[in-house]
Amino acid sequence: MMTRTRYVVLVLATFVSIHFILSFSHEDYGRVTSFSNIASQFKGATGGPPYKAGIPAQYYQHDGVNETAPGERANAAFVVLARNGDLNGISSSVRQMEDRFNRKFHYPYVFLNEVPFSDEFKRRITNLVSGEVEFGLIPREHWFQPSWIDEEKAKADREKMGKLPIPYGGSLPYRNMCRYNTGFFYRHELVQKYRYYWRIDPDVNFYCNIDYDVYNNKTYGFTISLPEYRETITTLWAGVKEFIKENPELVSPDNAMDFLSDDHGETYNRCHFWSNFEIGDLDLWRGEAYSKFFDFLDHKGGFYYERWGDAPVHSIGAALFSRKDQIHFFSDIGYKHNPFSHCPTGEAYTRGKCWCDPNDNFDTNPYSCLKRYDKLF
Ligand SMILES: Nc1nc2c(ncn2[C@@H]2O[C@H](COP(=O)(O)OP(=O)(O)OP(=O)(O)O)[C@@H](O)[C@H]2O)c(=O)[nH]1
Ligand SMILES: *[C@@H]1O[C@H](CO)[C@@H](O)[C@H](O)[C@H]1NC(C)=O
Ligand SMILES: *[C@@H]1O[C@H](CO)[C@@H](O)[C@H](O)[C@H]1NC(C)=O
Ligand SMILES: [Mg+2]
């Protein structure tokens, strides 16, 4: 039996925590939980922040050895969209990124979520990284379905697609995520100070050492390319053609249309760069061409009436609004997001001390779009 005092304490504690959760999730929408204010939150409880605050990244040492690469750094950060429940998966990805690349470069990280990250999430991630890390909350108006979407129509499509063998065909949160990655992540206040980004997703593998700085004045870098599910983009290409017709001056000369289309733009071959890996120039997305393109597509409603992914829309944007030579294939970065891998071959495999199975390489799969990329040059 519970004593009266215990009961009162329990009721009070429940009230206080519910109140805390409610006030946090409402008032903090669109605001940022920065590195410094998280560190200060922990100070009282632990007698000192378990963060690397105050140690300039360039002096951070790995097991006592200074492995920091000399030279300048690009104005770049890792950008990670994740849920609290992705903690184990993203820890694995971040650990590999640190071991294979960032222990030498100490680039900062920005984590984004539409609900506040848990203290455990922040503590465990901060313990892994060798650069600064910030945790941001996504503003409500950047995440949820906009008011001008007809929910009845959207729901009908989710029900229809949910019956097909298409990943997340019936999911509304997945659609919010795709639209956010397509047109909003680069506008987040924590991302705004950066020019370049490297996207990292949960449960991916980085198989090889990357001993050079990857930021190279290109606009978009990829490792794997493949065709999109037809049913998720039924009307996307019609929208793209309409946009090009109305805004021919926004399309780049010497672009990569022939990666997207086998008939010079008449139809879409559904090839896209697999966007769970992206190294990119944020100014490509922030520029006039892509901004107008995203708004145009967004108002067609296909992120909800179909299930347009960030991968095809980014790929079409990168291909049309960059020169083809600004799109880079990172052939020497060994990478896997289930179920596909890119495994470097020959000398690059040895040099990078890769551990991927050389026979598990999507480049040689008949569905790979790499040959269309190669044909551009
Ligand atoms: N904050 C937040 N992040 C999400 C949500 N859904 C997906 N993400 C993130 O968005 C990215 C892509 O989501 P995934 O669920 O991996 O989508 P996917 O790669 O198409 O599907 P899988 O094959 O299951 O990995 C990952 O970085 C996820 O952590 C969400 O509802 N909220
Ligand atoms: C570690 O090496 C880098 C690059 O050479 C250098 O800039 C930095 O000062 C070194 N740090 C320490 C603590 O020696
Ligand atoms: C980077 O790219 C821009 C735009 O294409 C070009 O004008 C500039 O010369 C390039 N800079 C370097 C260092 O390659
Ligand atoms: Mg994934």
Side-chain angles (χ1 to χ4, degrees):
M1 288 291 286
M2 202 180 264
T3 66
R4 195 186 150 78
T5 326
R6 274 199 201 162
Y7 179 77
V8 169
V9 169
L10 186 70
V11 167
L12 262 178
T14 311
F15 178 78
V16 168
S17 54
I18 287 175
H19 182 79
F20 178 75
I21 290 163
L22 286 180
S23 61
F24 203 59
S25 57
H26 286 296
E27 290 171 15
D28 281 56
Y29 253 109
R31 246 194 277 156
V32 148
T33 45
S34 75
F35 181 86
S36 52
N37 68 33
I38 296 155
S40 68
Q41 276 173 31
F42 274 86
K43 225 176 215 155
T46 61
Y51 300 96
K52 295 176 196 78
I55 306 172
Q58 66 268 30
Y59 294 124
Y60 180 71
Q61 298 189 2
H62 182 80
D63 292 341
V65 180
N66 185 4
E67 296 186 295
T68 301
E72 296 288 302
R73 296 294 179 266
N75 179 22
F78 299 105
V79 177
V80 182
L81 179 69
R83 293 153 291 204
N84 283 306
D86 293 314
L87 179 54
N88 289 331
I90 200 64
S91 294
S92 162
S93 304
V94 165
R95 182 70 263 157
Q96 294 177 60
M97 178 56 85
E98 285 294 328
D99 292 344
R100 290 305 197 159
F101 173 74
N102 208 42
R103 69 190 157 83
K104 294 190 170 176
F105 294 94
H106 312 309
Y107 276 107
Y109 290 75
V110 177
F111 281 79
L112 300 175
N113 191 350
E114 85 282 12
V115 300
F117 282 110
S118 67
D119 286 344
E120 188 201 357
F121 191 105
K122 290 184 277 198
R123 196 166 45 238
R124 280 178 53 188
I125 292 299
T126 306
N127 187 43
L128 292 179
V129 299
S130 68
E132 300 282 301
V133 55
E134 294 184 293
F135 299 93
L137 202 50
I138 293 167
R140 190 174 270 282
E141 65 277 13
H142 284 183
W143 185 263
F144 294 101
Q145 169 173 357
S147 57
W148 41 262
I149 291 293
D150 176 348
E151 170 55 16
E152 285 307 301
K153 193 172 157 188
K155 192 168 162 224
D157 176 73
R158 293 199 298 274
E159 279 165 8
K160 194 176 83 191
M161 208 177 290
K163 295 193 187 100
L164 302 176
I166 291 176
Y168 307 101
S171 168
L172 177 57
Y174 192 84
R175 285 172 169 77
N176 292 336
M177 177 278 287
C178 287
R179 177 170 172 268
Y180 185 78
N181 271 329
T182 308
F184 293 94
F185 82 93
Y186 49 88
R187 310 186 209 187
H188 193 281
E189 66 168 300
L190 291 181
V191 178
Q192 237 148 54
K193 55 185 172 288
Y194 298 110
R195 171 75 191 271
Y196 297 98
Y197 72 106
W198 189 339
R199 172 172 161 180
I200 308 178
D201 275 27
D203 290 306
V204 300
N205 293 121
F206 296 100
Y207 287 117
C208 314
N209 288 344
I210 305 153
D211 293 321
Y212 62 93
D213 198 339
V214 297
Y215 299 101
N216 55 9
N217 203 29
K218 306 258 177 166
T219 55
Y220 195 84
F222 72 98
T223 52
I224 293 170
S225 60
L226 72 175
E228 179 59 293
Y229 289 89
R230 194 187 299 278
E231 296 84 349
T232 65
I233 49 164
T234 315
T235 66
L236 176 60
W237 195 253
V240 172
K241 286 207 290 189
E242 197 185 326
F243 182 82
I244 294 174
K245 203 167 170 195
E246 285 175 18
N247 305 276
E249 75 289 353
L250 294 180
V251 177
S252 171
D254 215 12
N255 59 61
M257 174 61 100
D258 292 342
F259 173 77
L260 306 171
S261 174
D262 302 335
D263 48 24
H264 308 294
E266 189 48 37
T267 59
Y268 182 30
N269 58 27
R270 294 183 280 125
C271 280
H272 63 283
F273 307 117
W274 216 21
S275 62
N276 46 68
F277 177 106
E278 291 186 317
I279 293 177
D281 181 345
L282 294 159
D283 282 353
L284 169 63
W285 310 136
R286 293 168 183 147
E288 186 198 358
Y290 187 80
S291 298
K292 286 189 171 162
F293 180 65
F294 173 75
D295 283 345
F296 181 87
L297 293 180
D298 198 25
H299 281 86
K300 298 279 183 196
F303 291 104
Y304 293 98
Y305 302 146
E306 296 173 18
R307 205 222 64 189
W308 293 352
D310 49 286
V313 180
H314 272 189
S315 301
I316 294 167
L320 297 184
F321 309 131
S322 315
R323 294 188 318 266
K324 62 187 180 188
D325 61 69
Q326 293 176 301
I327 300 177
H328 185 70
F329 172 43
F330 279 98
S331 62
D332 52 356
I333 298 187
Y335 178 74
K336 177 171 193 170
H337 175 296
N338 225 1
F340 303 127
S341 309
H342 164 69
C343 191
T345 54
E347 193 268 331
Y349 187 92
T350 317
R351 179 165 34 92
K353 301 194 186 306
C354 306
W355 63 281
C356 39
D357 176 355
N359 300 313
D360 183 10
N361 187 4
F362 196 71
D363 299 4
T364 55
N365 186 300
Y367 285 104
S368 170
C369 290
L370 190 59
K371 48 194 171 298
R372 291 201 178 78
Y373 173 81
D374 286 340
K375 248 175 62 185
L376 294 172
F377 304 101

